[in-house]
Amino acid sequence: MTGGFKVLLLLLSLCLVVWTKPIDRNQDPPEEEKPEENADTGLYYDRYLREVIEVLETDPHFREKLQTANTDDIKNGRLSKELDLVGHHVRTRLDELKRQEVSRLRMLLKAKLDSTNAQSVQMDHASLLKQFEHLDPHNQNTFEAKDLELLIVTATKDLENFDAERHEEFKRYEMLKEHERREYLKSLDQEKREEEEKRIKELKEKHRQHPKVNAPGSVDQLREVWKETDGLDPQEFNPKTFFKLHDTNGDGVLDEQELEALFTKELEKVYDPKNEEDDMMEMEEERLRMREHVMQNVDLNHDRLVSLEEFLKSTEKKEFNNPNEWETLDDTKPVYTEEELQRFEAELQDREMELGRRAEKLRQEQELLKERSKALEAQKREYQQAVMEMSQKQKEQQALNRQPPSGPNGELQFQQEMQKLANEDSQVVKVPVNQNGVQNNLPAEPPQNLPQHTS
């Protein structure tokens, strides 16, 4: 990504200084560069922001206009008017990105409403989208100049407040930690409470036992990086060479991420993730404090970047060679007051009560579902019993339908036929046999009613 677009990416890495080679339209197009990896801005629309800028970077006209734009033109969104002159394929891709972002925001809104048990409420997406300031909610299908202006202005404002939000988040973290400590001590008896308080005190004292921390941006701090990180002789320290060594992306400025990387050695003196007494959240807050200290003393034009010229001027100041000793978080006042802690605990209590009410409501709903389930189970058993009785009746009826017809006395017809056959068998003449089993020749009875013949 070119230096010109780092100006637009005040939004991505808080860079506002332009450094880029002029575009020569007579030269062959340069070889495609690998995309530069930027740290996440922390904005909830970070991905959308990155993708928009990557697409705009592909348009030669917009790139050329960006080179001549000053910081105010970019931050105020006046550069967005050039969007009307970009290529059709660029506008088409930007339209697609906006529709994807609108769809994503709709999903976020739905999830938010679902979490507040407002599923039955009819959503007016056009109205709800107004709470998102980085795009035009009235036009949800195409990316216009107003969308680019809103994106730049909103990101600039959000990033200017980003450090303050980080400090506030850390304050809430510290208050929660103190609240949990106090609640835990309340749960102990007197003897165990005293033991735990003694243990905590010892951990705090152990944490304070660390080497001297050099003031960030001072000659001692930079020489230590020069020696430990760069592997160079501290006696040969050269500010210009140091700047170029730590301008890791070669854009001619030190952004906030590059500056914070310089403080790692100092932070390692105080914080070790293996030690129980060292809190890594506090380490990140310390890193932020160091970076703000350097920016306050070095960043003369307040563009949240350190140019080579600004860096070299800072090395000429008295504070560079004779800085005051750096005070860590342990040496400064607590980040919260007792009154703030009490308000925070009241908020926690209200939240716990609300969660309790929701839990009770869910329990009641669960009991109701159990009762309904029992009723449905009883109805199911009654239905199954009725089906079985009906099936049995059908079988009995089918058996009756298959029986033969009965006689005049109620006997079955096939019984009458069998009796008739039995009677006929009883009337059959039996032929006598002799002792040898041979039938006796009995004289035949003369036929009756035959005429008598005389000799």
Side-chain angles (χ1 to χ4, degrees):
M1 187 170 290
T2 63
F5 271 82
K6 289 208 76 173
V7 179
L8 195 54
L9 283 185
L10 69 107
L11 322 169
L12 291 180
S13 57
L14 313 180
C15 299
L16 297 175
V17 172
V18 179
W19 181 87
T20 184
K21 295 180 180 179
I23 296 178
D24 188 348
R25 301 187 182 277
N26 297 321
Q27 290 183 353
D28 295 332
E31 296 182 1
E32 184 177 354
E33 298 178 357
K34 294 183 179 180
E36 177 184 318
E37 295 183 0
N38 294 292
D40 194 308
T41 60
L43 301 175
Y44 67 89
Y45 49 91
D46 177 84
R47 180 175 178 178
Y48 173 64
L49 179 63
R50 292 173 183 274
E51 290 177 340
V52 167
I53 294 174
E54 287 174 2
V55 172
L56 288 173
E57 189 182 16
T58 63
D59 187 84
H61 171 79
F62 198 88
R63 289 164 61 97
E64 187 174 19
K65 288 295 181 182
L66 181 61
Q67 294 175 46
T68 60
N70 57 40
T71 299
D72 290 336
D73 288 339
I74 296 174
K75 293 179 67 174
N76 295 331
R78 287 192 287 269
L79 185 67
S80 60
K81 296 179 181 179
E82 302 297 330
L83 185 67
D84 294 333
L85 302 178
V86 301
H88 176 71
H89 68 287
V90 173
R91 294 297 296 269
T92 300
R93 178 57 181 150
L94 291 173
D95 293 345
E96 181 181 351
L97 289 177
K98 182 176 180 180
R99 288 191 291 269
Q100 291 174 357
E101 178 68 0
V102 170
S103 177
R104 185 184 71 88
L105 295 177
R106 285 175 176 170
M107 292 176 62
L108 289 175
L109 289 170
K110 184 179 184 303
K112 182 178 180 179
L113 291 174
D114 289 346
S115 66
T116 56
N117 297 322
Q119 298 94 330
S120 60
V121 179
Q122 184 67 27
M123 285 192 296
D124 183 0
H125 287 106
S127 298
L128 293 173
L129 285 172
K130 291 180 180 179
Q131 62 186 287
F132 302 109
E133 300 178 346
H134 65 286
L135 49 72
D136 181 9
H138 301 292
N139 174 17
Q140 302 179 18
N141 296 310
T142 59
F143 189 98
E144 305 296 339
K146 185 176 181 180
D147 290 294
L148 182 57
E149 178 181 355
L150 289 172
L151 183 60
I152 295 174
V153 172
T154 303
T156 303
K157 180 185 67 176
D158 290 345
L159 288 172
E160 287 175 349
N161 298 328
F162 190 62
D163 287 348
E165 292 176 0
R166 283 180 62 181
H167 286 308
E168 184 63 26
E169 181 181 353
F170 176 73
K171 178 193 290 188
R172 295 181 68 84
Y173 167 78
E174 287 289 290
M175 289 190 293
L176 178 60
K177 188 168 66 172
E178 176 62 16
H179 168 73
E180 291 177 345
R181 185 189 72 83
R182 294 183 181 185
E183 291 298 311
Y184 176 67
L185 290 176
K186 289 179 183 179
S187 67
L188 303 177
D189 57 37
Q190 182 67 25
E191 182 180 355
K192 291 184 177 179
R193 186 183 304 116
E194 291 176 356
E195 292 177 357
E196 180 64 15
E197 289 176 341
K198 180 181 178 181
R199 188 185 72 87
I200 294 174
K201 184 177 180 180
E202 290 174 352
L203 288 176
K204 288 183 177 180
E205 289 299 323
K206 183 179 179 182
H207 175 69
R208 291 176 180 272
Q209 303 302 318
H210 56 73
K212 175 188 174 182
V213 178
N214 296 313
S218 65
V219 64
D220 292 338
Q221 188 258 319
L222 298 184
R223 278 180 176 171
E224 190 165 341
V225 175
W226 177 273
K227 176 183 176 182
E228 300 294 336
T229 303
D230 303 330
L232 300 174
D233 186 350
Q235 300 303 320
E236 297 179 0
F237 174 75
N238 182 283
K240 186 174 182 179
T241 303
F242 182 92
F243 182 94
K244 292 184 177 180
L245 283 173
H246 294 277
D247 176 19
T248 55
N249 55 12
D251 61 357
V253 294
L254 297 179
D255 60 37
E256 295 185 348
Q257 285 72 39
E258 290 168 333
L259 281 175
E260 289 184 356
L262 300 178
F263 312 139
T264 300
K265 288 296 179 182
E266 299 302 320
L267 294 170
E268 288 177 348
K269 297 176 181 178
V270 186
Y271 299 95
D272 186 342
K274 298 178 182 179
N275 296 337
E276 181 184 1
E277 68 273 11
D278 298 337
D279 189 330
M280 294 301 103
M281 285 289 289
E282 291 183 4
M283 183 185 74
E284 292 307 315
E285 175 70 7
E286 195 77 70
R287 190 190 303 273
L288 175 58
R289 291 178 64 242
M290 288 181 171
R291 189 248 295 164
E292 289 177 329
H293 173 78
V294 171
M295 283 296 188
Q296 183 178 359
N297 292 284
V298 181
D299 181 21
L300 302 178
N301 61 358
H302 306 292
D303 61 2
R304 303 179 73 98
L305 293 167
V306 176
S307 65
L308 175 59
E309 181 181 0
E310 290 173 328
F311 183 77
L312 295 178
K313 284 184 178 180
S314 70
T315 63
E316 299 172 358
K317 295 182 178 180
K318 177 182 178 181
E319 294 81 6
F320 179 74
N321 294 298
N322 299 291
N324 296 324
E325 185 175 352
W326 178 252
E327 294 184 348
T328 64
L329 283 170
D330 299 317
D331 303 322
T332 59
K333 295 180 180 180
V335 294
Y336 58 86
T337 64
E338 186 64 27
E339 290 76 13
E340 288 175 324
L341 179 59
Q342 291 176 2
R343 288 195 298 269
F344 177 76
E345 291 180 326
E347 291 177 7
L348 287 180
Q349 185 176 3
D350 292 342
R351 191 178 304 172
E352 289 175 0
M353 292 176 62
E354 176 63 24
L355 290 175
R357 286 192 291 268
R358 291 187 181 183
E360 177 61 21
K361 183 179 179 181
L362 289 174
R363 188 193 64 79
Q364 294 176 358
E365 292 176 352
Q366 186 179 20
E367 291 296 327
L368 181 60
L369 288 174
K370 286 181 179 180
E371 293 177 2
R372 290 180 178 177
S373 178
K374 291 179 181 179
L376 289 174
E377 187 65 26
Q379 292 178 2
K380 179 181 177 181
R381 288 195 297 267
E382 292 177 0
Y383 175 76
Q384 290 175 341
Q385 183 65 26
V387 170
M388 290 176 62
E389 292 176 357
M390 185 179 296
S391 177
Q392 183 64 27
K393 289 180 179 180
Q394 289 177 349
K395 289 180 180 180
E396 293 175 356
Q397 185 64 39
Q398 290 174 357
L400 291 174
N401 292 339
R402 285 196 298 268
Q403 288 182 357
S406 60
N409 298 323
E411 70 276 9
L412 295 179
Q413 189 173 12
F414 75 88
Q415 292 177 344
Q416 293 179 346
E417 296 295 330
M418 292 298 293
Q419 185 66 34
K420 186 184 293 184
L421 291 174
N423 293 338
E424 291 177 356
D425 289 344
S426 64
Q427 296 176 2
V428 175
V429 179
K430 295 183 179 180
V431 180
V433 296
N434 58 20
Q435 294 178 351
N436 297 323
V438 179
Q439 293 181 351
N440 293 327
N441 295 323
L442 298 177
E445 296 181 358
Q448 301 178 359
N449 301 326
L450 290 177
Q452 299 288 329
H453 295 279
T454 59
S455 53

